[in-house]
Amino acid sequence: MDLHFTAKDPTTAERDAVDDVLGAPLDRTAVDRAATGQYLRAERGGAAVRRQRHLLLPALLALVDRVGWISPEGLDYIGLRLGVAPAEVYGVASFYALLALEPRLTRSVVHVCVDLACRMAGGVDEQRHRYEDSDTLVVDSACLGQCDRAPAAMVTEPGAPARHRVDAREATVIAQCGEASLTLLRRVDVIAPTDLDAYRAHGGYVALRRALDIGPAAVRAEVDAAGLVGRGGAAFPTGRKWAAVAAAPGQPHHLVCNADESEPGTFKDRVILEGDPFAVIEAMTIAAYATGCEHGWIYLRGEYPLARARLEEAMARARRGGLLGPNVMGRGFAFDVEVFRGAGAYICGEETAIFNSIEGYRGEPRTKPPFPVEVGLFGRPTLVNNVETLINVLPIVADGAAEYRRLGTVGSPGPKLFCLSGSVRSPGVYEVPFGTTLGGLIERAGGLTEGRTLQAVLIGGAAGSFVGPEQLDLPLTFEATRAAGTTVGSGVVMVIDDQADLVDLVTRIAAFFRDESCGQCVPCRVGTVRQEEAILRLSVGKRQRHERAHDLEILHDVGQTMRDASICGLGQTAWNAIESALTRFKLFPEDAP
Amino acid sequence: MTSQGDEATPRSVQLSVDGTVVTATEGDSLLAVCRGLGVEVPTLCYGDTLTARNACRICVVELDGNRTLVPACSRPAEEGQVVHTDSARVRTSRKVVLELLGSSVDLSLTKGVEAWNERYEADPSRFGPSAAPAGIGERDRRVTGEHHHADPLTAATVAQPAKIDNPLYVRDYSKCILCFKCVDACGEQWQNTFAISAAGRGFDARIATEFDVALTDSACVYCGNCIAVCPTGALMSTAEFDLRGAGNWAPERQHETTTVCSYCGVGCNLTVHVQDNEIVNISSPSDHDVTHGNLCIKGRFGYVNVQPPRRRVKD
């Protein structure tokens, strides 16, 4: 490959930031124009250099962390070091909302959440003004996953080291803290999150020990018998996935923990990652052991700085304790984990988009088949499981499938985390057995905010659907929600009271999908735009009857086509919530005045 | 090293396409199977010299047992599949995809679209009048994640001025459907130059050099292999672009002559497109063993020894 770099040399800060990720260059003169006075080519080192492409996104994030943006010089330097053409680096850099390709020279950048829960909490505009000063750049952001503490903003101050923090309302971590009935949340807020001794004292590493005792096949059998299905939204049987990866002939196998929780209204994984990081690490170790993976990745959304810090600390302690590394628990099993930080892209929660993102390509979903269990990360068989799915493995392995199945229903066994937000007295993550009714769950969260009446509930997030007060008796199980034309999805239960503006929420959902579409396929790329345009036209209210009918027809046609013909789940679900609002709430009646 | 005999012979499979049972080689695309049967499946992003990208989604077909429609170009044939290429769902999706494309992109030079629009009763004008075109470089400056507030009474488009920054070819991205073929031809599938990439996200996604620098500052080597695969006329030789601009492009007065490139010893076939005794384009057959439709700058543009370059009229 004959790479062509044109920009001038990077600044010392840019060079240091990139070198911190990639290590010092093999041959400094080869990457230093000032030293050679020559036209620059890629760093020497051949395939060994190019095999480091998975460091592309980390290097881009390092530049933004250090100097606030990615300059042409910094971008070229990364390309030079990794043997990747600058156009490709640019293609990747311009894919992510947390990366900037224009100078950002303010002291700090604030991402203000403008998504559903924060809108309902009020004060998105006030939030924007609150941070306004000459040395701060304020930009809008999609859901930051802080819906229980809305309104929220993420503040980044570039530097060495960069400082990241999330500003949100003070709130208890979980309302159920310490309750005896808890399985998944039993340690959250009870123990110090990164205290390994406390973790072990509260039942930690019992499951891994049993897993190592009974062997991989028996672990897989337990997970299969437990009837565990994926908690990320797609509800795929976990046991089947594990069996497929374990049996896949390619080597090595990879494990990816999907912690890119970005579905508006979802924050359960954040609460787990921040409150019980060892549980995620232990569960990943068991999953890796059962499916023959040597290496695990936690793909963590970039908007969760606290989760990242706690995970890194917990991983370091686990390594020191012999619970990660070449000889886990002294049993000859080698496994380690690394955190891969996302950079602001909802689509990267799609399992194949994760692979492209980690591998240093644009986070566009891949065509399936082949499925990840056969051809996944780096072309190898890969197990992708959501954070909540993984931690369910701990009680299954520790106590056995039969015990696990005592909770929940036959079709939806076990406990489930729900993210209660919006107009409830105590928003937060709640752990209940599958089968709890929608109304019961809202009661669990203290019921509706004082003096309000219920207008609707958004279940499953932006890709889910709105249901009305008549559905309060709906048991929250996969089978019952499916029958009712909705979905458990990622566990979002966003309560919308009579004072909330449903049209505003639907308009925001349309904008969200337009912004988050990766742009790869036509139905989603253009369909999300036409959908938003039609919603905006309908919401102005001054349209003639035949114009409304025309726009509703457009929404149905475009929605059906996105659902049928899009490559991935983003486009396929981009019409769900809007359709439910239109049909169940007659949001834009044809015969309106 | 494996000998020919050791390799597994591809299995024959039987599947049904619109009720006709057909025998195919396992792994062939459904598109190839349909074409073998004479069943027309429209497609824009599929190229016979490139790996299928299944981005345009016009080729979707209904496959029993699948929740969604599947792209014929990249779904392999398997035993027992039941395929429907003209069901109501397929027709609706093709119609709407054609409308979405036709309302956002200039398809005036895209072969086949007119007939498909008729066949699927697609009406790209249903989304309202087109929004005003973007200014030069405006779409390239869009910030990912920043919501673009559009006027809902007009339909957003990718319209923008053509990028004319070198003497050999023009990039008119108002005609770009983002099929990714140029990126694949420029990159790892053929040229290994990587001068361009998809950039941005969603409707703001576009084909771009790094930071939208001019081609003359990019890695471009002017092989023109991107032009060869472009299905919409977004990429075009300057000679053709100027003739079209002047209203003098006349395919009916053109003829093609096949010859062998005389620049080096590789032996690339050239197809010389001549109008009014003047070379207007040079291409290479995509089924040629050596070129697969690709050429280098000399083969594609080096015809100045035959005729002096046209003087461009300055805009």
Side-chain angles (χ1 to χ4, degrees), chain A residues 1-6 69-73 75-76 85-99 101-102 104 139-142 344-347 361-362 364 367-369 371 508 510-512 514-530 532-534 536-537 540 543 550-551 553-554 557-558 560-568 572, chain B residues 52-57 60 67-71 74-76 78 89-90 92-105 123 125-128 140-158 176-180 187-188 192-206 208-213 216-221:
Chain A
M1 211 183 324
D2 178 23
L3 299 178
H4 179 93
F5 298 96
T6 49
W69 71 297
I70 299 158
S71 69
E73 294 79 16
L75 184 134
D76 259 19
E88 280 203 79
V89 183
Y90 183 76
V92 173
S94 60
F95 192 82
Y96 296 97
L98 295 181
L99 303 179
L101 288 158
E102 70 288 350
R104 282 186 176 174
V139 294
D140 289 353
S141 170
Y346 171 69
I347 187 59
Y361 294 88
R362 291 164 56 78
E364 292 161 352
T367 309
K368 290 187 272 191
F371 292 95
R508 170 57 204 164
F512 172 82
R514 176 189 179 144
D515 293 347
E516 297 296 334
S517 166
C518 81
Q520 189 180 197
C521 71
V522 175
C524 175
R525 180 178 74 234
V526 191
T528 52
V529 173
R530 297 291 177 252
E532 189 198 17
E533 289 167 353
L536 287 171
R537 285 195 298 270
V540 293
R543 306 278 285 171
H550 180 73
D551 284 334
E553 192 183 52
I554 284 177
D557 282 1
V558 169
Q560 189 57 43
T561 302
M562 288 196 289
R563 182 175 289 162
D564 264 352
S566 297
I567 292 178
C568 79
Q572 288 162 12
Chain B
R53 276 303 283 256
N54 76 89
C56 76
R57 313 299 282 188
V60 286
R67 188 172 42 86
T68 60
L69 303 177
V70 305
S74 49
R75 176 57 69 107
E78 286 170 33
R89 272 175 84 194
V90 169
T92 301
S93 271
R94 289 188 186 163
K95 165 184 148 73
V96 175
V97 166
L98 284 164
E99 289 170 343
L100 294 173
L101 275 180
S103 64
S104 58
V105 185
D123 172 19
S125 69
R126 68 189 289 203
F127 306 112
D140 288 279
R141 288 191 296 271
R142 296 258 170 92
V143 175
T144 297
E146 190 175 283
H147 189 64
H148 183 71
H149 296 278
D151 168 16
L153 295 178
T154 60
T157 74
V158 300
C176 177
I177 57 163
L178 271 187
C179 68
F180 295 86
E188 62 178 9
N192 270 289
T193 288
F194 300 95
I196 47 172
S197 164
R201 200 168 71 191
F203 194 69
D204 297 338
R206 66 264 172 190
T209 57
E210 64 274 18
F211 292 95
D212 187 33
V213 299
T216 44
D217 290 329
S218 78
C220 180
V221 296

Side-chain angles (χ1 to χ4, degrees), chain A residues 319-372:
Chain A
R319 267 182 218 117
R320 283 203 296 275
L323 299 161
L324 281 178
N327 190 11
V328 173
M329 281 189 160
R331 305 283 285 267
F333 167 59
F335 178 67
D336 213 327
V337 180
E338 69 183 277
V339 175
F340 194 96
R341 186 173 151 209
Y346 171 69
I347 187 59
C348 286
E350 200 278 343
E351 57 181 357
T352 58
I354 292 184
F355 305 152
N356 279 341
S357 184
I358 292 178
E359 289 178 25
Y361 294 88
R362 291 164 56 78
E364 292 161 352
R366 298 178 183 172
T367 309
K368 290 187 272 191
F371 292 95

